[in-house]
Amino acid sequence: MENARILIADDDKKTRDFVAAFLSYKGYHVFQASDGQDALEKIELNDVHLVITDLMMPRINGLEFIKKLKAMRPEIVTIAYSAFANSEMTANLLKAGAFFYLEKPFNLEELETHVKRGLEHQALQNQSFRTKPCIKNRSLLNNIIGESEKMLSLFEFIEKVADSDSTVLLQGESGTGKELVARAIHDLSNRRTKNFVPVNCAAIPDDLLESELFGHVKGSFTGAIATRIGRFELADKGTLFLDEIGDMKPSLQVKLLRVLQNKELEPVGSTHTKKVDVRIITATNQNLEKLVVTKEFREDLYYRISVIPIVLPPLKDRKGDIPLLINSFLEKFNKDKQHKVKGLDKSSLEILCTYEWPGNVRELENLIERLVILKGSGIITVSDLPEKYRGIKTSMVQEPLSLPDNGFCLNSAVEEFENQLILQALHKTGGNKKEAAMLLNLKRTTLIEKLKKKKLFFAGSPLANS
Ligand SMILES: Nc1ncnc2c1ncn2[C@@H]1O[C@H](COP(=O)(O)OP(=O)(O)OP(=O)(O)O)[C@@H](O)[C@H]1O
Ligand SMILES: [Mg+2]
């Protein structure tokens, strides 16, 4: 960004001058502050876009400074550095809203790369939050339902970022619509005429994921009977959606990072590289920042994939959208199933509008589908709602639980409890996994995964494959 204004806060004048001289030479407008307090005062007086700060400073230290700055001017991007930070400090920095953390000593070119990334990130955020709403392509976003403030600013943001090639990280609880949003971003982008290729990193066994992503050559491993292209190549010039990215094992994370950096890949068993042009969208319902701290997720990859972070709100934080969602699901399932359910009566609507929806929109959608099937026509009343929504406490366990004197194995008891409920759900639905998953408020694929893992059999046939 031309004319970007950067403030450097460090009590060590030598480092400060050194960094300032380099950034001025690169064309940035640079200010200096000798500690956090001084920096806050300078920011009040000057228009600053980005702050680079040391962590160890007198009066207000770097972390406190970032917290105060974020409360005062959330749009300012902050990059922190220190020679002493540990993983807990890194986590606190990310939580406080720091954009990047660099360990001292660092390379100035590397610092500039993060400055550029930070400014790019800020430009995208600014476009979204400062300009007036102008949802041009609402029709493409039509299948994402919502009219709450939170959803309207999300639509606007999606529109703004769709055309950029920056990586998008979608975070949010299960069932909040991450996949739906990923598809909408692709459909609104200039890549829309090419493929949108989803890959669920949690559903593909670790040892197959690499070849699934990058392809393989014939004979590279047992079972590689023919040369096959990977999902990256399938998504060439289009979008690759890496779902459940938090589940990717570290060795593959390194390879993915390399592909993202170099824009070229090496199929398994091949010595030749191939160029690819792919826009990456990732999603997870895990806390990636926490996984970075516990070193289960690579920090460098985290920064690579999170240039545009989008957090989808849980349904309980936008309860005003519930009636709209109910109506649109009623319409959809009435049409699909040729039924004529008119709506919900006041009391049942009230119940659903106050419920907390731990399974988010997926849970609501599944409930309406089930109600439409069971009711067929007329108005849904409280007695049609499953017991858990009516607030009637039904215990699955008839006897009160008590821990035997000599203890017992909690893991196997929980496992047994889960197995019994899964089998009951399958029994009730005559082995139909989609309906059984609905009864258990699970995704069909999650149920299938569980059946595979548990090697459960129903009516003599292995369920996982049927
Ligand atoms: N805003 C919304 N409007 C309409 N339908 C929605 C909305 N959000 C989610 N859904 C529906 O809810 C279901 C779950 O959505 P989706 O698969 O996108 O969730 P997710 O966040 O990817 O969940 P998970 O983390 O479990 O994979 C889908 O059937 C989707 O169509
Ligand atoms: Mg999903």
Side-chain angles (χ1 to χ4, degrees):
M1 186 169 127
E2 271 174 38
N3 302 326
R5 298 157 77 88
I6 300 177
L7 181 125
I8 301 162
D10 194 330
D11 54 329
D12 175 21
K13 187 168 180 314
K14 243 167 90 186
T15 313
R16 221 167 62 210
D17 284 344
F18 184 55
V19 176
F22 171 78
L23 291 174
S24 303
Y25 166 72
K26 290 283 178 179
Y28 298 98
H29 191 97
V30 185
F31 302 88
Q32 297 192 26
S34 55
D35 60 38
Q37 186 59 42
D38 186 23
L40 287 172
E41 285 161 17
K42 294 226 159 81
I43 287 164
E44 286 238 26
L45 299 173
N46 298 286
D47 186 19
V48 168
H49 300 115
L50 184 143
V51 166
I52 300 171
T53 178
D54 185 22
L55 288 184
M56 299 292 204
M57 293 186 293
R59 298 207 285 174
I60 303 181
N61 70 30
L63 181 61
E64 284 311 307
F65 162 52
I66 291 174
K67 283 185 188 161
K68 287 202 163 123
L69 178 63
K70 284 284 152 188
M72 202 170 102
R73 298 278 303 278
E75 77 283 8
I76 295 182
V77 173
T78 49
I79 294 177
Y81 63 76
S82 167
F84 307 103
N86 50 30
S87 53
E88 196 189 331
M89 179 56 105
T90 315
N92 287 336
L93 282 170
L94 293 177
K95 220 165 101 196
F99 179 72
F100 198 80
Y101 163 69
L102 273 170
E103 221 164 284
K104 243 164 124 179
F106 52 82
N107 170 317
L108 288 174
E109 295 291 343
E110 187 191 356
L111 173 68
E112 203 207 352
T113 309
H114 298 300
V115 165
K116 279 188 180 152
R117 273 193 335 111
L119 292 170
E120 182 188 330
H121 168 83
Q122 185 183 53
L124 287 166
Q125 300 266 10
N126 282 353
Q127 274 178 25
S128 140
F129 294 119
R130 290 218 181 122
T131 52
K132 282 208 178 108
C134 58
I135 300 162
K136 292 184 288 272
N137 291 311
R138 199 48 226 278
S139 60
L140 284 168
L141 290 166
N142 257 352
N143 54 348
I144 311 180
I145 296 152
E147 55 182 12
S148 54
E149 281 280 304
K150 285 194 159 86
M151 291 307 277
L152 291 180
S153 50
L154 175 74
F155 296 150
E156 227 186 288
F157 191 57
I158 291 174
E159 275 219 318
K160 293 280 159 42
V161 301
D163 252 347
S164 114
D165 268 348
S166 306
T167 56
V168 175
L169 170 64
L170 296 165
Q171 286 179 288
E173 291 174 13
S174 182
T176 45
K178 296 185 290 296
E179 178 148 4
L180 212 54
V181 169
R183 284 180 191 274
I185 293 176
H186 171 77
D187 289 343
L188 286 168
S189 76
N190 47 21
R191 293 171 173 266
R192 66 182 138 312
T193 55
K194 303 288 185 220
N195 290 335
F196 173 85
V197 181
V199 183
N200 186 333
C201 302
I204 301 174
D206 280 350
D207 48 345
L208 290 184
L209 189 54
E210 181 178 355
S211 99
E212 197 61 43
L213 288 176
F214 308 134
H216 62 248
V217 295
K218 186 176 170 182
S220 51
F221 55 88
T222 329
I225 47 171
T227 295
R228 222 185 112 196
I229 67 162
R231 309 265 183 121
F232 257 93
E233 275 179 85
L234 265 182
D236 197 28
K237 311 245 170 2
T239 307
L240 181 67
F241 174 50
L242 298 174
D243 203 357
E244 318 283 4
I245 185 87
D247 288 15
M248 186 178 276
K249 65 173 179 175
S251 60
L252 197 51
Q253 290 176 26
V254 187
K255 292 184 181 163
L256 175 62
L257 180 66
R258 218 174 302 137
V259 177
L260 298 188
Q261 277 167 343
N262 305 336
K263 299 190 180 354
E264 56 184 30
L265 56 84
E266 229 169 70
V268 177
S270 165
T271 47
H272 297 292
T273 54
K274 290 179 171 180
K275 282 258 168 240
V276 277
D277 165 19
V278 171
R279 201 256 179 103
I280 304 284
I281 302 180
T282 62
T284 178
N285 51 29
Q286 301 194 59
N287 183 336
L288 264 197
E289 291 79 4
K290 229 182 193 166
L291 296 184
V292 168
V293 173
T294 53
K295 304 244 182 290
E296 285 159 89
F297 201 83
R298 291 183 66 97
E299 194 177 7
D300 42 13
L301 180 59
Y302 169 76
Y303 288 117
R304 254 301 143 176
I305 61 171
S306 62
V307 174
I308 305 173
I310 298 181
V311 179
L312 300 192
L315 187 53
K316 66 172 186 302
D317 289 355
R318 54 178 189 106
K319 284 187 173 163
D321 283 339
I322 292 175
L324 190 67
L325 283 159
I326 291 178
N327 282 338
S328 96
F329 291 141
L330 274 175
E331 200 178 308
K332 171 173 145 191
F333 293 119
N334 270 330
K335 203 165 149 206
D336 278 6
K337 314 210 182 285
Q338 313 256 313
H339 282 338
K340 289 196 182 83
V341 176
K342 286 211 182 79
L344 281 82
D345 71 357
K346 196 163 164 271
S347 316
S348 52
L349 184 64
E350 231 166 64
I351 290 178
L352 298 192
C353 286
T354 44
Y355 180 70
E356 290 292 287
W357 299 106
N360 293 296
V361 184
R362 177 180 296 111
E363 184 183 356
L364 177 58
E365 187 178 15
N366 288 348
L367 173 70
I368 302 298
E369 181 173 7
R370 176 181 160 159
L371 291 172
V372 167
I373 294 172
L374 295 177
K375 189 81 183 172
S377 64
I379 302 252
I380 290 162
T381 62
V382 177
S383 60
D384 296 317
L385 299 179
E387 280 166 349
K388 82 167 177 188
Y389 300 97
R390 283 188 265 150
I392 297 168
K393 209 167 174 286
T394 51
S395 173
M396 305 297 302
V397 186
Q398 302 301 323
E399 299 293 321
L401 280 176
S402 63
L403 181 69
D405 288 342
N406 49 355
F408 81 146
C409 174
L410 181 66
N411 284 342
S412 23
V414 171
E415 175 96 27
E416 181 54 31
F417 185 70
E418 193 180 44
N419 291 353
Q420 277 191 29
L421 290 176
I422 289 177
L423 286 172
Q424 275 183 37
L426 286 159
H427 188 74
K428 274 201 174 138
T429 58
N432 182 320
K433 290 193 284 295
K434 181 160 184 248
E435 285 173 17
M438 273 165 64
L439 282 179
L440 297 164
N441 193 24
L442 292 175
K443 276 203 282 189
R444 187 178 146 274
T445 47
T446 310
L447 177 64
I448 292 176
E449 275 300 301
K450 280 187 186 290
L451 293 171
K452 266 191 209 163
K453 224 189 233 162
K454 293 169 180 293
K455 297 196 172 56
L456 282 180
F457 285 75
F458 175 71
S461 65
L463 285 161
N465 304 320
S466 57

